[in-house]
Amino acid sequence: MRTALKAAHAVPLPVTRAATRAMRGLGAGELVPEWTADMPRSGPERPAARHPAGAEAVFFAACIGSLFAPEEGGGTTGGSARAFLRLCERAGVPVAVPDGLGGLCCGTPWQSKGYTRGHRTMAARTLDALWAASDHGRLPVVCDASSCTHGLERLADALSEPDRARYAALRFVDSVAFTAERLLPALPAVRPLASMALHPTCSTAHLGADEALRTVAAALSADVTVPDSWGCCAFAGDRGLLHPEVTAVATARQAAEINSRSYDAYASCNRTCEIGMTRATGRPYRHILELLDEATAPAVPGA
């Protein structure tokens, strides 16, 4: 998919748009999105394996951050995974990255598409890798996309009965919750933002991580707005790409509320939700850890 995105962005927009419209017209509407000018580029590769002494957690960088690049024009952090790792280094918190991460997945795409066999295969592979990396469940597993953290929590549904005992020993934590609890107290002083619009996700609600998200936001700005009309952006993995009209309807009230004023930053904690809200509002939504990374990075002299 990353290769396909790179190739498609190398072709003139009218050509790619015409080709995808033709494929959708031939019955591929549930497989091929219509190409648009704001289609994200492919993202950076997932982090390489690392096994530092004294690791406090295992970092499972979500594949969605590798599939889709962070919002263009929104800084130079390189996405949420790189931002999280830099924050850990800055806070003096060593974290491990499992071997073979590029071939692992939380299972959500397989489960949502009904690919039962693929879901079972991926669940078993991911469990084996995380079982080893976490020292048999001793270390928590941290993920940087809220929907993927939620997906990891539901992997048991695709595992065999013997594997569920190992799975039950694992503990999954969203990167925002880990940051609020472990990293924030150890980070340098934050250079505050004047204001921020914040979009919690359905998955942060399921995970009980909304309060952690608000805690990180409050550390970045004294003026944080979660719209009264907040709700699901309806991007739902690839649904927002395949059926953008659904996201447009679902976000209309929230977008109008957000655009009633301007903010210095627009934040969420899941790449596809960020894409959906950026499309809805015309504002650059970014992972909140990218903003925290920038706000705690050493100041550049003369900048």
Side-chain angles (χ1 to χ4, degrees):
M1 185 67 175
R2 291 177 67 239
T3 302
L5 279 173
K6 286 181 180 179
H9 272 287
V11 177
L13 175 62
V15 175
T16 314
R17 178 176 287 161
T20 55
R21 282 179 178 173
M23 287 186 280
R24 287 172 64 84
L26 291 172
E30 292 300 315
L31 296 172
V32 178
E34 181 173 331
W35 196 263
T36 57
D38 62 354
M39 188 68 72
R41 294 181 178 274
S42 60
E45 292 186 1
R46 296 163 86 179
R50 58 170 73 178
H51 305 284
E56 295 189 25
V58 175
F59 181 44
F60 187 89
C63 51
I64 195 67
S66 178
L67 178 58
F68 295 125
E71 183 61 31
E72 292 186 6
T76 58
T77 61
S80 58
R82 294 183 182 183
F84 176 74
L85 289 174
R86 280 194 297 269
L87 287 167
C88 288
E89 292 170 2
R90 205 169 290 146
V93 177
V95 295
V97 174
D99 294 323
L101 179 60
L104 305 178
C105 176
C106 72
T108 297
W110 306 88
Q111 186 271 335
S112 63
K113 292 292 186 181
Y115 298 151
T116 305
R117 183 179 299 176
H119 190 203
R120 289 174 180 165
T121 299
M122 185 56 68
R125 182 190 302 169
T126 299
L127 172 63
D128 286 344
L130 294 182
W131 182 250
S134 68
D135 191 17
H136 300 179
R138 182 179 64 84
L139 300 176
V141 177
V142 180
C143 183
D144 63 321
S146 59
S147 64
C148 300
T149 309
H150 190 217
L152 288 169
E153 286 199 339
R154 296 180 297 167
L155 267 184
D157 297 339
L159 292 170
S160 64
E161 197 61 40
D163 278 340
R164 291 184 183 183
R166 286 193 300 158
Y167 171 83
L170 298 179
R171 179 163 58 97
F172 301 105
V173 182
D174 190 72
S175 60
V176 172
F178 186 82
T179 297
E181 179 180 343
R182 182 65 184 89
L183 302 185
L184 269 183
L187 285 171
V190 172
R191 293 186 295 279
L193 296 163
S195 60
M196 178 192 296
L198 184 65
H199 178 76
T201 70
C202 300
S203 293
T204 56
H206 284 299
L207 294 166
D210 279 353
E211 191 59 36
L213 180 63
R214 291 172 186 262
T215 296
V216 176
L220 280 163
S221 177
D223 179 10
V224 177
T225 297
V226 175
D228 292 336
S229 56
W230 172 84
C232 177
C233 70
F235 210 87
D238 65 358
R239 308 310 291 169
L241 294 174
L242 297 171
H243 301 284
E245 67 280 1
V246 176
T247 295
V249 171
T251 56
R253 286 184 60 206
Q254 185 178 177
E257 187 175 346
I258 288 294
N259 285 332
S260 65
R261 59 167 285 193
S262 62
Y263 297 88
D264 284 341
Y266 300 81
S268 189
C269 54
N270 200 67
R271 185 67 192 100
T272 49
C273 299
E274 293 155 22
I275 295 170
M277 289 306 299
T278 295
R279 286 183 166 187
T281 63
R283 310 292 184 175
Y285 273 79
R286 302 172 61 202
H287 197 291
I288 196 164
L289 297 190
E290 296 177 47
L291 299 173
L292 183 63
D293 176 35
E294 291 178 348
T296 58
V300 178

